[in-house]
Every structure is written in structure tokens, then in C-alpha cells.
Amino acid sequence: MVSPVVTGYYRYTDIFFEWHQALPNPEDRGPLKALLAQDAFMHPDHPLRKDGVEGAELYLGTLQNFESRLLFSSAQVEYLRYWLHAMQLTKILYLFRTRTQIEKNNKRLKGVDPTLNARRDIFERVRSLWAQQQGTWCALDFEAWDRDHTLLTEFGWSTVRWDHGSKIEEQGHLIVKERRYYTNTFVSNNRDRFSFGKSEEVNKATFKQRIQALIEDLKKSGPLFLIFHDNNQDIKYLKSKDVDVQLPDVVFLLPDVLPKDGIFVLDTSDLFAALEGEGGGNRRSLERICRHLQIPTAHLHNAGNDAHYTMLALMSMASGEPIDMQRERRWPNRTSTNTSAPNAPLNGAGIRVHFDPWEEEDEFSDQEGVCGPAVDISQFRAESDDETH
């Protein structure tokens, strides 16, 4: 019996922006990216070019949301892999290992709930958009008096944009003058401990004008990506009477292709949930996420500091490898399947990171966070005493 020929398809953007990152040797990445560049397809010596056709022949596919995408066939991908190896431009073993890892991860993803799948999709879209180094990315944070959350006391921002390939970063912090002496009861009072510049004390009217002007200015440089940590409250603050930023066309669903303009919302709590394999409603704090990403923090609950740490968390995840490779690099061999109920759906258990108690608990000191939990050495002393008798 003849086996049927099965053809798969890969999105062009996924291969162009991600595959080269899987090659461990940086010298091998250039040839792969050059081979996949759009201009290269027009060259008469390109391996995918057909006689009598100007350029390479790709495929047009329609996604479940009815958007169209350029695709490679699996046969084309295999031939490119073979051609790179035959021309001695890279090692075939690297791409084989990558494909094997992808197949392994796909098996572990069986039974993943829709929420986690959606978060994983957002994670990869963020990586793809970030890699293009376009638009403006701005992390925002507000602080309010903890006895009345309608009284805003601080605003902080941290932006990243690119000018001819050079990354430009800016940070800022505003304090509301009329509410300077509103002291928190349940949250740390760190408004005067901005670590990334000089704080500005302004009145309520200027506070409102400065934030409005900031958003309007950022919108002029192409698409604007607003980054929050658990965005629900901060979006409300932006729309409140104390700020009154107009966001009529804000979009919470990231595009698959970089747009020319528009405002899009990202949430680092969702991105980290995707990375650790969390599909439920458990949103980690900014401090906990930075701890797991190994980003040192100080004086949290200062709006300027929180905005910058949110940006650092975004950059750490967005500039890393594809989600499953990044998870394994950060926390190797820390996932497991659900062995307590073998016949039950996995629901993402195969990609859920299991952190040790000392990584999760706030009671452990900073030294314990680096070196692990404290060890009771009395048991070793007892064993040593037994050996001497």
C-alpha cells in the first residue's frame, strides 16, 4: 500500500524571524537569514527559483481568523535545509535538532486549554514584532493612594524606539504636587526613590497635560505598543478624569504583521503566564516575575521604577528564543506531565514550570533566593558524630 504524501506549510514570517535564532553558532545564522531575505528570492541562483519564473514560488494560506499569509511548503523547507548543508553554509544537524525539539513540544501541548494557547500565540507575536525594531514600545504605570484608588499620586513611563537600527530608551516619573503628603498605609511609600532619572513634581493640571502630550507624541512614530503589568487598572486610570487620554482605537489583540500605525496593548503578566505554562487566572506580581527572569529590583511601588521593570521584563522575554526553547533554557527540566491521573487531559501540565518553594516564598531572604533554601546541617553533624564512635 502506498503511503499518502502529506504536505505541511510554514508561515514565512515565522521562519524568517525565528529559525536563525535556533542555530547555536552565530556564524551560521547569517547564511540562513540571507537565503530567506525577500530580495534573495529574485536572484537567479536562489535554490527555490524555478526556470522561467521571476522570483520564488511561495504559497498563500488562510488562517482560522480568515487572514492571509505567505507560506513555505514542508518540501521547500526540507530542500532549503538540504541545500544549506550541501553548500556547507551551515550544519544540517542544528536544524534537525530544532525540528525534533518542536515535535517534542507539540506532543506535550496536547490538551492545553484555550487560554494558555491564546497566551502562547500572543507571546510569539510579541517576539516577532519586537524583532522588527519598529514603532514605539512604552511601559506605563500609575500609583494611587491606597486608601482611595481614585486619587492618583504618581505616573511613570519607560520607552524604547529605534532610529536607523539604534535603540533609544527614555524613562520618566511624575509626582502630583497636591498629593505629595498622601501617605500609604498598606503599600510602600517610595515616590521619592526613582532609580532611573530625576522625578518631576507637577500640579494636577500639568500632570494631566504631560501624560496626554506624551501619548500623542508617541503615536507619531508608527505603531504604539502600550505595555502594562496587569493592565485592567492602569487602562482605567488613563481614561479617568485626572488623565483623560483618548484611546478610541486601542486594540487588545496583537496583529500578526507589523502595522503602520495604531495603539496596541500588551500585558507582561500574560506573557509570563505563557512562558511558565499557566493557563488559569493566577497572575504573578511584577516583583515575582522579575525574580524568575533574574531581573534585580529595588523600590517597587514607585511608578517610574515599576514602569521600567515592566519594560525590562518585556525586553527579556521578547528578545529571547521561541517560547518553548526559552522556557527550557531558563528552567531546564522543570516541567512534567500529570502523572496523578494518567487518563485525564494534560491541560498544559507538560509545559508547566514547577518552581521550588524557595523560589516562590517571600519569606526567604535575598541570599536564599540566590543559593537555594537553608539546609539544616545538624543532621550531618549527627552522622559525623556516629562515624567517630
Side-chain angles (χ1 to χ4, degrees):
M1 180 178 179
V2 179
S3 300
V5 177
V6 179
T7 301
Y9 295 91
Y10 299 82
R11 288 189 293 189
Y12 168 80
T13 52
D14 288 348
I15 291 181
F16 181 76
F17 289 112
E18 298 180 12
W19 277 42
H20 69 280
Q21 299 185 54
L23 299 178
N25 186 354
E27 295 179 357
D28 293 330
R29 298 172 186 173
L32 179 58
K33 289 201 71 175
L35 183 66
L36 297 171
Q38 295 181 13
D39 294 343
F41 293 127
M42 305 302 295
H43 196 280
D45 294 332
H46 194 280
L48 294 184
R49 182 158 181 172
K50 291 184 176 181
D51 293 336
V53 178
E54 186 177 357
E57 183 181 61
L58 298 184
Y59 298 85
L60 190 64
T62 303
L63 305 181
Q64 291 182 345
N65 61 359
F66 303 107
E67 295 180 352
S68 297
R69 294 291 179 267
L70 279 177
L71 307 173
F72 286 113
S73 71
S74 55
Q76 288 176 316
V77 171
E78 287 298 316
Y79 184 70
L80 288 177
R81 193 162 65 93
Y82 159 78
W83 188 86
L84 284 168
H85 177 62
M87 296 294 106
Q88 298 182 350
L89 295 175
T90 187
K91 293 182 174 62
I92 194 171
L93 179 61
Y94 293 156
L95 294 181
F96 176 77
R97 285 177 178 172
T98 302
R99 188 178 65 175
T100 301
Q101 183 63 42
I102 291 173
E103 292 174 351
K104 178 181 177 182
N105 286 326
N106 286 342
K107 292 180 180 178
R108 299 165 73 183
L109 282 168
K110 289 183 178 180
V112 168
D113 61 81
T115 300
L116 180 54
N117 265 333
R119 288 172 175 171
R120 287 172 57 84
D121 180 63
I122 292 171
F123 190 99
E124 290 304 325
R125 291 190 185 205
V126 169
R127 289 185 58 257
S128 177
L129 294 168
W130 179 265
Q132 298 178 60
Q133 300 184 356
Q134 299 290 327
T136 301
W137 301 66
C138 179
L140 304 177
D141 185 69
F142 288 92
E143 289 294 319
W145 190 36
D146 63 0
R147 293 188 182 184
D148 184 347
H149 286 239
T150 65
L151 300 178
L152 298 179
T153 58
E154 304 172 53
F155 172 71
W157 70 95
S158 179
T159 65
V160 172
R161 59 185 178 86
W162 289 266
D163 185 11
H164 301 291
S166 298
K167 185 164 70 172
I168 301 173
E169 301 182 54
E170 297 175 356
Q171 296 85 37
H173 179 228
L174 301 179
I175 299 173
V176 179
K177 183 176 182 179
E178 293 89 335
R179 295 167 184 160
R180 163 166 282 284
Y181 299 105
Y182 281 59
T183 303
N184 288 330
T185 303
F186 309 104
V187 177
S188 301
N189 293 283
N190 285 327
R191 74 185 67 184
D192 294 317
R193 295 177 176 176
F194 180 42
S195 303
F196 305 100
K198 185 177 180 180
S199 300
E200 299 178 67
E201 189 174 285
V202 297
N203 60 38
K204 290 189 292 184
T206 304
F207 183 80
K208 181 177 183 177
Q209 294 168 1
R210 287 286 300 277
I211 299 173
Q212 291 177 345
L214 173 70
I215 300 298
E216 287 300 315
D217 184 58
L218 296 178
K219 288 164 57 178
K220 297 176 182 178
S221 303
L224 172 59
F225 300 95
L226 296 181
I227 309 159
F228 302 94
H229 185 77
D230 201 353
N231 66 64
N232 183 50
Q233 191 61 51
D234 288 314
I235 292 289
K236 291 180 180 178
Y237 288 148
L238 278 175
K239 296 179 178 180
S240 69
K241 61 181 179 61
D242 284 348
V243 181
D244 195 25
V245 170
Q246 300 301 312
L247 299 171
D249 301 320
V250 66
V251 178
F252 290 83
L253 179 63
L254 284 181
D256 201 31
V257 176
L258 183 72
K260 294 182 179 180
D261 53 26
I263 302 178
F264 304 89
V265 171
L266 310 178
D267 195 317
T268 50
S269 66
D270 281 333
L271 294 179
F272 188 81
L275 185 60
E276 70 164 330
E278 171 60 53
N282 180 26
R283 291 180 180 269
R284 293 187 179 272
S285 67
L286 178 60
E287 185 276 335
R288 187 66 54 83
I289 285 178
C290 287
R291 182 193 304 180
H292 288 315
L293 295 177
Q294 298 185 2
I295 299 172
T297 60
H299 308 310
L300 292 168
H301 295 294
N302 171 292
N305 293 343
D306 285 5
H308 191 56
Y309 291 132
T310 298
M311 175 61 77
L312 292 179
L314 180 281
M315 290 194 294
S316 177
M317 292 183 281
S319 61
E321 308 93 328
I323 186 169
D324 295 308
M325 295 180 184
Q326 187 174 153
R327 184 191 64 245
E328 291 304 314
R329 173 181 60 81
R330 292 181 182 277
W331 309 292
N333 303 318
R334 303 286 289 277
T335 59
S336 65
T337 56
N338 183 6
T339 57
S340 60
N343 297 323
L346 289 177
N347 293 326
I351 58 171
R352 183 70 166 86
V353 178
H354 297 276
F355 293 107
D356 291 326
W358 63 268
E359 296 174 289
E360 298 280 30
E361 297 299 328
D362 293 331
E363 300 88 63
F364 287 93
S365 68
D366 292 339
Q367 183 64 31
E368 290 164 331
V370 173
C371 300
V375 177
D376 182 5
I377 64 172
S378 61
Q379 57 179 320
F380 299 106
R381 289 175 177 167
E383 292 176 0
S384 178
D385 291 341
D386 291 340
E387 292 176 357
T388 58
H389 293 293

